[in-house]
Amino acid sequence: QVQLVESGGGLVQPGGSLRLSCAASGFTLDYMTIGWFRQAPGKEREGVSCISSSDGSTRNTDSVKGRFTISRDNAKNTVYLQMSSLKPEDTAVYYCATDTRSRCPSMYGSAWAFFGSWGQGTQVTVSS
């Protein structure tokens, strides 16, 4: 059974850091392109970051560029999202998801619609 489990969310002050994890079971993550998305209350789901299965290249949306870093540890079958310089507008439920394409697509707009398996999400709250 294909399953993704996100963890690492929590409450953090503005300017702080968190590292989210996306652990896979039932399949090998390194054959999948993995995306991170987020959804704040009352807002549409938006793309955040992506790492390609083909060469490990990454994409970040402008809202997180320079602050978030996506990486993968194939030995642990886990993808990470390191978040730093967090802002209140980063508050959302964060999800990871798989894409069978070998390269990251654009993460803007309805990119989420092309991703298949999803985790249950982890809440990130940035507040003082």
Side-chain angles (χ1 to χ4, degrees), residues 37-80:
F37 296 82
R38 66 186 182 187
Q39 189 165 18
K43 294 188 176 181
E44 293 187 355
R45 187 167 298 188
E46 65 169 338
V48 174
S49 189
C50 179
I51 186 164
S52 299
S53 63
S54 59
D55 59 0
S57 58
T58 63
R59 280 192 171 185
N60 290 310
T61 54
D62 287 344
S63 61
V64 305
K65 199 166 289 183
R67 301 188 298 120
F68 290 12
T69 303
I70 188 171
S71 63
R72 67 199 311 158
D73 185 336
N74 292 337
K76 295 184 178 180
N77 215 27
T78 299
V79 170
Y80 302 99

